[in-house]
Amino acid sequence: MFRRLPEIETAAKTAAETVAFTIDGRAASARTGDSVAAALLANGVVTCRNTPVSGAARGPYCMMGVCFDCLVTIDGTGNRQGCQVRVSPGMAVETQNGKREVER
C-alpha cells in the first residue's frame, strides 16, 4: 500500500543514514529524519492502535498531528503521536491496544 517513490529512494541512498529501532520488539530500520509514523508505514505496519470502545484498527491518516490516529508507545511513554516524533537510534516503538494505561 505505502512505498517510497523510486527517484527519492535512489537519491536518498547516497545521502541518508539508516536508523535502527524496534517495532513491538522486532528489529526495524528507517531513514534519518523519518517520523515514527512514516517509519511504521515503510516497515509494513499500518495499524498503530486499536480503539478501546470498538477495537477498530487505527493507523496514520493525516501525518501532520491533527487526527491522533497514529498514537503509539515510544520508549515506554504511551499515546505519543507517531507523526510528530522523529525516529532515533535504539528507539522502542510499540503499537497500542485498547484503553490507555495510567502508568504509561
Side-chain angles (χ1 to χ4, degrees):
M1 175 191 275
F2 293 96
R3 62 183 166 83
R4 296 185 188 278
L5 297 173
E7 60 274 10
I8 293 173
E9 180 75 30
T10 301
K13 280 184 178 180
T14 56
E17 294 180 30
T18 300
V19 178
F21 70 108
T22 61
I23 303 170
D24 292 331
R26 293 175 284 118
S29 63
R31 289 184 189 160
T32 300
D34 277 355
S35 69
V36 170
L40 289 172
L41 293 172
N43 282 277
V45 178
V46 296
T47 300
C48 294
R49 64 183 181 97
N50 294 320
T51 62
V53 176
S54 68
R58 310 299 290 186
Y61 180 69
C62 72
M63 300 296 282
M64 60 184 187
V66 176
C67 72
F68 288 81
D69 278 344
C70 61
L71 296 179
V72 290
T73 299
I74 299 174
D75 292 332
T77 303
N79 296 308
R80 303 278 313 270
Q81 287 181 274
C83 68
Q84 299 296 302
V85 179
R86 293 192 189 276
V87 174
S88 61
M91 178 180 276
V93 178
E94 299 171 48
T95 56
Q96 297 186 164
N97 291 307
K99 64 182 180 181
R100 179 180 178 189
E101 297 174 21
V102 175
E103 299 83 29
R104 287 184 153 187

